[in-house]
Amino acid sequence: MDHHHPLHSSNHGSNRSRDSTSTMESDPREKIKDCFRKFIAFMFTQVGVGALVVCYAILGAAGFMHIEKDNPDLQLEDVKNWRLNCAEKLWNITINVNIFNETVWMHKVNNVLKLFQNNITVAVHTGYSGRTAEDIWSFPAALMYSLSVFTMIGYGNVVPKSVWGKIVTIAYACFGIPIYILYFCNMGKVLAKTFKWLYITAHECSRREDPLFEDGEIQPKRKITVPSTACLWVISFYILTGTIMFGAWEKWNYLDSTYFCVISLCKIGFGDFVPGANISDSAGGSHLKLVINFIYVLLGMGLVAMCYNLMCEDVRVKVRELREDLKNCLDDITLKITVCMNDTKYYHQKQSRNMK
């Protein structure tokens, strides 16, 4: 009968664990899985989500540029042919109609120009802007288009015209919108924590400098929340910055600039005002405006998420305080009613004893 020594068994167990550990360390598949897990965990952090959004926008811009620039724009050819036909018809009318018969000449010329006007109107409604695909789909413009897709702003001033461009836009939106929502939530939490820390620090410094608290008494601690008015001031200052900036660049009045900033940050995006959209050539200034607009909108939506989180916290605290105040008020009323009823009962008992 064999008896295994416990020390010998433990040595075997430790050897097996070391062997398994060394196997995992030497196995390249386990290393790849471990790196992939770490990468996924990093991408769900605040820095990772922000980098993911920027990389996703850059990747989309490069893809849309490649698809749309190589696609021939048939509208440009159609408009060119309409313009040449209109000029030819006007020349034929001028040659064939007696120039002294002004009524007939005006009637025929009016019909030709009306047809040309209707064709141009239809072309504009379907995306014609007078620019070639190379001018429209520059990298900053494609970057702004990518942002407008996955943030659901949808300005509409730049649209894909090719079949593949429309298919890729659908897929790009389906994958990009969840990434944007993740960015919106994470960035809102990070900015809310940072702004709340700054507000609490400033609040505590102001309390120390307050002469009412110089006697050294320890005041009861209350939960400090950022008031909703402070959030509104932050958003108002950010909108004011955009108003001045875009008004100076685009020669918009302050109402139109404010209108554009609010429409963009609220993700309404009508598209009637877009930086760089009124420049017909592909100048460098137009590109710079689109890039800065991309940064402005992306940071602005983070600020909107921050204000949303802080205002929700402020409302929750105020509702809790209101509930406690109502409860205390009801307790006081109940206590007073009880005391009043007891006094009345005691008075009636005393009266009955006196009558006896």
Side-chain angles (χ1 to χ4, degrees):
M1 183 174 179
D2 294 334
H3 296 280
H4 294 285
H5 198 275
L7 181 61
H8 186 67
S9 303
S10 63
N11 289 336
H12 273 293
S14 62
N15 289 335
R16 281 195 299 269
S17 63
R18 281 197 297 267
D19 291 340
S20 61
T21 305
S22 62
T23 303
M24 288 181 62
E25 290 178 354
S26 61
D27 191 358
R29 289 178 296 180
E30 293 297 330
K31 289 183 178 180
I32 293 173
K33 289 181 181 178
D34 186 56
C35 292
F36 184 72
R37 282 192 293 266
K38 290 180 180 178
F39 176 75
I40 293 297
F42 170 74
M43 292 311 295
F44 279 90
T45 62
Q46 290 81 5
V47 178
V49 171
L52 180 62
V53 168
V54 174
C55 292
Y56 191 74
I58 294 174
L59 180 65
F64 288 119
M65 278 181 62
H66 177 71
I67 293 172
E68 293 297 325
K69 272 191 173 182
D70 297 337
N71 182 55
D73 194 348
L74 300 179
Q75 274 191 333
L76 286 175
E77 295 297 325
D78 291 340
V79 171
K80 182 180 179 180
N81 293 332
W82 293 339
R83 185 168 60 248
L84 293 175
N85 291 335
C86 179
E88 185 179 355
K89 288 180 181 179
L90 292 176
W91 176 248
N92 291 333
I93 291 172
T94 304
I95 292 176
N96 296 328
V97 177
N98 191 339
I99 60 174
F100 296 106
N101 194 347
E102 183 179 355
T103 304
V104 177
W105 186 87
M106 289 289 293
H107 176 71
K108 291 186 177 183
V109 167
N110 184 62
N111 291 335
V112 172
L113 293 177
K114 185 180 292 185
L115 178 62
F116 179 74
Q117 179 183 353
N118 293 336
N119 291 334
I120 293 297
T121 302
V122 172
V124 169
H125 279 294
T126 55
Y128 174 75
S129 62
R131 293 183 288 179
T132 62
E134 288 76 12
D135 294 334
I136 296 174
W137 289 98
S138 61
F139 180 77
L143 190 68
M144 199 63 214
Y145 172 76
S146 301
L147 178 72
S148 68
V149 170
F150 65 75
T151 58
M152 299 169 286
I153 297 177
Y155 286 121
N157 63 310
V158 177
V159 293
K161 296 181 181 179
S162 64
V163 175
W164 277 110
K166 295 175 182 178
I167 294 174
V168 172
T169 297
I170 295 172
Y172 189 77
C174 292
F175 288 100
I177 290 174
I179 295 175
Y180 164 72
I181 294 174
L182 187 63
Y183 162 81
F184 188 83
C185 297
N186 280 22
M187 186 59 67
K189 291 178 183 178
V190 172
L191 292 178
K193 289 179 181 178
T194 304
F195 187 75
K196 185 177 180 180
W197 178 81
L198 292 173
Y199 180 83
I200 291 175
T201 303
H203 184 268
E204 290 178 350
C205 291
S206 64
R207 282 172 64 90
R208 292 194 199 101
E209 295 174 359
D210 196 335
L212 296 176
F213 299 98
E214 288 182 353
D215 52 1
E217 294 182 2
I218 299 176
Q219 300 296 324
K221 287 188 175 181
R222 293 184 57 190
K223 183 177 181 181
I224 301 175
T225 59
V226 179
S228 300
T229 52
C231 299
L232 294 177
W233 276 111
V234 170
I235 288 294
S236 300
F237 178 76
Y238 196 76
I239 292 174
L240 178 63
T241 303
T243 298
I244 297 173
M245 181 173 63
F246 292 117
W249 282 351
E250 295 294 322
K251 308 303 179 184
W252 295 338
N253 57 49
Y254 288 141
L255 176 60
D256 292 339
S257 298
T258 305
Y259 168 81
F260 163 74
C261 294
V262 173
I263 289 299
S264 298
L265 296 180
C266 292
K267 298 193 297 183
I268 299 173
F270 289 127
D272 47 353
F273 289 95
V274 179
N278 297 325
I279 300 177
S280 59
D281 56 359
S282 56
S286 173
H287 293 178
L288 179 62
K289 292 171 187 176
L290 290 174
V291 171
I292 294 180
N293 187 26
F294 173 84
I295 299 172
Y296 178 83
V297 172
L298 204 58
L299 289 179
M301 289 183 176
L303 284 178
V304 170
M306 177 198 78
C307 293
Y308 173 77
N309 289 336
L310 292 175
M311 292 174 77
C312 285
E313 183 184 8
D314 186 38
V315 169
R316 281 195 297 267
V317 171
K318 287 183 178 179
V319 168
R320 193 181 303 118
E321 291 177 352
L322 179 62
R323 189 187 303 131
E324 291 176 358
D325 291 341
L326 289 175
K327 183 180 178 181
N328 294 334
C329 182
L330 290 175
D331 291 341
D332 290 342
I333 293 174
T334 304
L335 180 61
K336 289 180 180 179
I337 292 175
T338 303
V339 170
C340 183
M341 290 178 65
N342 290 335
D343 290 343
T344 305
K345 183 178 179 181
Y346 175 77
Y347 176 76
H348 285 303
Q349 288 177 354
K350 186 176 181 181
Q351 288 282 42
S352 63
R353 282 197 298 267
N354 291 336
M355 289 178 65
K356 291 180 180 180

